[in-house]
Amino acid sequence: MKGIVIGQYVPGKGFFYRVDPRTKIVAVLFLMIGTFLLNDIYQVIGALLLTFILLVIGKISFIKVMKGLKPILILLIFTFVFQILLNKEGALVLDSNLNISLINIAFVIGLFIVWRLLAKFKKFNFLLFIAFIVGSIFLFANVTISGDYLFTSFNFRIYEKGIEMSIFVVLRLLIIITLSTILTLTTKPTDLTQGLESLLRPLKKIGFNSDDFALIISISLRYIPTIFDEANKIMQAQASRGADFSEGKLKDKLKQVISLLIPMFIIAFMRSEELADAMGSRNFIPGKPRTRLHILEYSYRDVLVSMFTVAFFTIALLLRINVLGY
Amino acid sequence: MGIRFNEVSYTYNSFSDMEASAIYKISLDIKEKDEFIALVGHTGSGKTTLAKHMNALIFPTSGYMEIFGKKIEHKRNKKIKYNDIRQNVGLVFQFPEYQLFEETVLKDVMFGPMNFHIDKEEAKELAMNAIRLVGLDESYFERNPYNLSGGEKKRVSIAGILAMDPKILVLDEPTSGLDPAGKRVLMELFLNIHETTNKTVVIITHDMDLVYEYFNRVIVMNEGEKIYEGEPEKLFRNSALIEEYLDYPNSIKVLKHLNKTLKLDLDVFKKTADDVLAEIKKAVK
């Protein structure tokens, strides 16, 4: 539960903190569309550099954004690997036979055990894992010992286009995630919903109530940490009655899950009832117009952000049309 | 044996870079038997954090502790069965809502013993005794714990821990939210458990009357640090400490007031109402 940065506001002072949330939402939306319009690897690298420049301008620590990438790291690796393996266009880069044989397999298993043992002590768990994978592929490809029993062998081919596309896709994902992280890192959830509400207001004409929608979103966002907190407390209360989630058999664990869920629900209902009472006693009436404590205002920063967005989007569009044109 | 804190600090980490220290370098010895300890201090002084350490619900950020011979350090040790520690040290939480979940009171109280693989009939027996012990009669056995009043819920949650028959009992504000009569009943119960079984009981409380009257050792916490440890008798004679961090019990307050307004010279350190009366009678004569 700790260290989740995606969707987490981190208080700070920087350029993007003082940009109007509406501008930020629209800008991120268009920058993302713009990124998807790019279809050349050099353009994407350029866009990535621009994104990093944005980070520098906003004084957002690169490490924080990278930490936010952790949950989707597996997704990135999967897209990368599948692009490389499945794309069969362009010139051949690597062509070799993978020989799966008895000694090779035994050696790889040995390597795996060594990796598991090292993983306990090393911080560079992930790098070691990559080294392990690359090492075993190398082993399969190049080492054949006479007298070894061969199970099977297959062709391992990597094409130029495959490498290009895999890098392209990963970079594109990286840009999009960085952009959305900039938005959520620098915008308070309340500002975000206020911005959304204000952007969705025209939809009122077709019967969509943006006020209620924004209220629902902001209350749910507000209560995520509270619910985590409560769950933690319940877990501790049950653990002190001998229901520790990290010990015990599966059968016991099922019962323990129930002992967590029921108080969770009851507390959630109690909380919402209390909140409704508290809002009611302060004269909150759904749908009635209200004044705001913080009124959204545009400043020169919004103009700058909008200009950048329009420029980026137009260039992306022009590049796309151009490419289609010749 | 018992519980030993060795320079234990605990830090809550938060999303921003600030780190809030909940307790700081606490060293403490709690014997397995014959202790009746009060843990007092302002809200936010680290009392609850300290209590949670006592049955290894949270682990020290630095320093270490020993609970019934098992060493608890910053990292979870796979060789240690933490459930055993919780059977030895029973902790009752401040808010009963966090632990009640079964459809009847009896089943809920049985949950603790059943987790320690005591068979059903025996667990039922233990649970029934525990419920009677906290002052609830048979009519409560089949009631839904969520339909009880706050004070009754509290008693059920205490019964839930008592049924586990822990060697040391730790209670986080067991008397908060109870009426004065209920408070007395529960305090008498804890004292009774302590006296008949010699079990060590640790109670977090804000009630100075209770502290003065019942306990034989007080630990005073302030902003995560232990600022006093010893007999309540000596604590209440330390006027500088009391006036800055705590409050006098009512008996002392009354006698002090009499001394001040009537210019008497009474001995203010009297525990019970009868002692106070005797002292006043002496002065009247």
Side-chain angles (χ1 to χ4, degrees):
Chain A
M1 274 174 245
K2 275 162 200 154
I4 305 169
V5 176
I6 268 198
Q8 276 288 344
Y9 170 72
V10 176
K13 279 179 208 151
F15 180 80
F16 294 112
Y17 282 89
R18 281 180 282 172
V19 177
D20 190 288
R22 285 169 293 188
T23 320
K24 272 191 274 190
I25 294 169
V26 175
V28 165
L29 197 70
F30 275 92
L31 287 177
M32 280 184 180
I33 297 171
T35 313
F36 271 102
L37 286 176
L38 301 173
N39 58 357
D40 182 90
I41 187 155
Y42 300 109
Q43 295 166 11
V44 170
I45 290 173
L48 188 69
L49 286 179
L50 271 180
T51 323
F52 288 153
I53 292 170
L54 287 184
L55 283 182
V56 174
I57 291 171
K59 285 181 190 148
I60 298 161
S61 104
F62 189 67
I63 298 160
K64 261 182 192 150
V65 177
M66 286 297 116
K67 271 186 187 161
L69 286 177
K70 235 183 197 170
I72 57 139
L73 198 62
I74 294 184
L75 183 77
L76 284 179
I77 292 169
F78 260 91
T79 37
F80 188 78
V81 169
F82 276 97
Q83 282 291 345
I84 275 199
L85 291 182
L86 299 177
N87 201 316
K88 300 207 183 297
E89 284 170 50
L92 202 62
V93 176
L94 185 87
D95 181 14
S96 67
N97 276 328
L98 286 189
N99 301 318
I100 314 272
S101 64
L102 197 62
I103 293 178
N104 281 354
I105 287 257
F107 200 78
V108 166
I109 291 173
L111 262 182
F112 181 75
I113 292 169
V114 169
W115 171 64
R116 281 307 306 163
L117 288 177
L118 280 176
K120 272 188 184 169
F121 305 105
K122 293 284 179 206
K123 275 193 165 177
F124 309 105
N125 209 336
F126 184 66
L127 284 179
L128 276 173
F129 180 69
I130 290 178
F132 162 68
I133 295 286
V134 171
S136 30
I137 290 174
F138 181 78
L139 193 73
F140 282 135
N142 295 322
V143 182
T144 35
I145 297 161
S146 58
D148 193 5
Y149 178 75
L150 195 68
F151 288 115
T152 178
S153 76
F154 58 86
N155 281 331
F156 181 67
R157 290 201 180 102
I158 291 177
Y159 296 85
E160 207 172 51
K161 197 80 179 166
I163 295 178
E164 199 186 308
M165 276 309 284
S166 59
I167 294 173
F168 174 75
V169 169
V170 166
L171 288 186
R172 201 162 67 179
L173 267 176
L174 207 67
I175 294 170
I176 283 161
I177 287 154
T178 315
L179 284 175
S180 55
T181 315
I182 292 178
L183 175 68
T184 51
L185 269 179
T186 61
T187 319
K188 279 185 210 147
T190 46
D191 285 351
L192 209 58
T193 45
Q194 201 185 340
L196 261 181
E197 182 195 338
S198 146
L199 285 172
L200 293 175
R201 199 162 287 153
L203 290 180
K204 243 185 182 167
K205 291 204 175 82
I206 57 163
F208 180 82
N209 198 336
S210 66
D211 288 343
D212 287 356
F213 176 73
L215 184 73
I216 291 168
I217 302 249
S218 61
I219 288 178
S220 1
L221 284 178
R222 160 68 187 77
Y223 274 87
I224 290 171
T226 315
I227 295 278
F228 269 140
D229 230 36
E230 303 277 25
N232 207 9
K233 276 185 192 162
I234 296 166
M235 250 150 73
Q236 287 186 343
Q238 302 301 23
S240 80
R241 295 210 287 169
D244 195 312
F245 281 88
S246 35
E247 281 169 31
K249 293 183 208 111
L250 191 67
K251 204 186 97 204
D252 299 334
K253 275 185 188 163
L254 281 177
K255 177 95 181 169
Q256 288 164 10
V257 169
I258 296 172
S259 79
L260 172 68
L261 282 182
I262 292 178
M264 199 69 243
F265 270 104
I266 293 198
I267 285 172
F269 281 120
M270 262 166 37
R271 285 247 172 214
S272 52
E273 218 167 307
E274 277 166 16
L275 180 71
D277 283 346
M279 286 166 78
S281 69
R282 279 185 276 176
N283 236 348
F284 175 83
I285 299 162
K288 280 277 166 77
R290 280 182 297 147
T291 53
R292 294 269 178 202
L293 186 58
H294 303 286
I295 293 164
L296 299 179
E297 270 173 39
Y298 291 112
S299 67
Y300 74 95
R301 292 184 192 87
D302 300 282
V303 178
L304 281 179
V305 171
S306 312
M307 270 161 55
F308 173 78
T309 311
V310 169
F312 182 85
F313 187 74
T314 326
I315 290 169
L317 200 66
L318 284 177
L319 280 171
R320 178 74 175 211
I321 292 165
N322 235 357
V323 169
L324 285 176
Y326 76 83
Chain B
M1 294 305 247
I3 304 171
R4 230 181 66 147
F5 285 73
N6 197 315
E7 303 223 322
V8 170
S9 303
Y10 185 82
T11 316
Y12 285 102
N13 38 351
S14 52
F15 283 114
S16 53
D17 295 329
M18 291 190 310
E19 285 189 330
S21 191
I23 56 174
Y24 184 72
K25 284 200 174 169
I26 303 280
S27 293
L28 197 63
D29 256 308
I30 297 172
K31 284 194 237 80
E32 194 186 335
K33 288 201 176 296
D34 301 320
E35 293 221 69
F36 205 60
I37 303 172
L39 197 52
V40 298
H42 287 293
T43 43
S45 60
K47 301 183 302 278
T48 302
T49 310
L50 199 65
K52 278 182 188 170
H53 275 93
M54 289 181 191
N55 71 349
L57 279 180
I58 49 180
F59 303 145
T61 313
S62 72
Y64 69 90
M65 40 189 310
E66 277 169 45
I67 308 175
F68 285 91
K70 282 172 183 150
K71 196 168 176 185
I72 310 292
E73 280 170 302
H74 179 52
K75 271 198 170 163
R76 201 182 175 94
N77 187 342
K78 277 187 184 144
K79 283 175 199 146
I80 295 177
K81 282 247 172 195
Y82 290 91
N83 263 343
D84 294 348
I85 294 173
R86 278 141 207 176
Q87 193 175 13
N88 285 330
V89 184
L91 171 65
V92 180
F93 273 68
Q94 191 178 358
F95 300 105
E97 283 82 9
Y98 290 112
Q99 68 171 63
L100 305 176
F101 76 99
E102 285 279 14
E103 63 254 60
T104 70
V105 168
L106 191 61
K107 273 191 187 169
D108 200 275
V109 176
M110 277 165 68
F111 179 69
M114 300 271 281
N115 277 328
F116 300 115
H117 308 291
I118 291 168
D119 64 65
K120 208 170 175 182
E121 285 309 307
E122 208 178 324
K124 203 168 180 176
E125 198 63 38
L126 284 168
M128 283 174 165
N129 284 334
I131 297 170
R132 286 197 201 99
L133 213 57
V134 292
L136 301 175
D137 57 36
E138 276 87 5
S139 65
Y140 283 91
F141 287 178
E142 297 304 317
R143 286 179 64 178
N144 184 331
Y146 280 103
N147 291 339
L148 302 175
S149 72
E152 286 164 340
K153 274 185 200 164
K154 193 126 213 179
R155 285 165 199 235
V156 173
S157 69
I158 292 169
I161 301 294
L162 286 181
M164 285 159 39
D165 195 28
K167 289 180 184 144
I168 292 180
L169 198 56
V170 184
L171 300 124
D172 193 350
E173 298 196 29
T175 53
S176 71
L178 289 178
D179 53 90
K183 268 186 196 175
R184 291 275 146 197
V185 170
L186 275 187
M187 280 313 292
E188 299 285 348
L189 166 72
F190 301 138
L191 198 65
N192 196 22
I193 291 171
H194 168 66
E195 276 168 359
T196 49
T197 60
N198 286 329
K199 276 178 192 171
T200 288
V201 179
V202 182
I203 298 180
I204 296 178
T205 181
H206 288 289
D207 193 328
M208 291 303 134
D209 291 337
L210 297 179
V211 172
Y212 195 36
E213 198 177 328
Y214 291 101
F215 291 88
N216 55 29
R217 189 165 150 204
V218 196
I219 295 160
V220 183
M221 298 286 294
N222 185 55
E223 288 179 359
E225 289 184 58
K226 184 179 77 182
I227 54 171
Y228 177 86
E229 185 188 354
E231 292 165 10
E233 199 70 40
K234 278 188 193 142
L235 170 70
F236 290 114
R237 283 170 205 271
N238 184 345
S239 55
L241 191 76
I242 296 297
E243 268 148 34
E244 187 165 356
Y245 301 108
L246 300 165
D247 196 7
Y248 283 110
N250 280 328
S251 60
I252 296 180
K253 267 191 210 159
V254 167
L255 290 169
K256 274 205 161 180
H257 187 68
L258 286 176
N259 273 354
K260 204 173 144 198
T261 50
L262 300 174
K263 307 259 179 318
L264 296 174
D265 192 26
L266 302 171
D267 176 15
V268 295
F269 298 101
K270 295 291 172 201
K271 287 188 181 177
T272 62
D274 288 336
D275 291 346
V276 172
L277 189 67
E279 187 67 25
I280 294 171
K281 269 183 182 162
K282 228 181 352 183
V284 171
K285 276 171 196 166

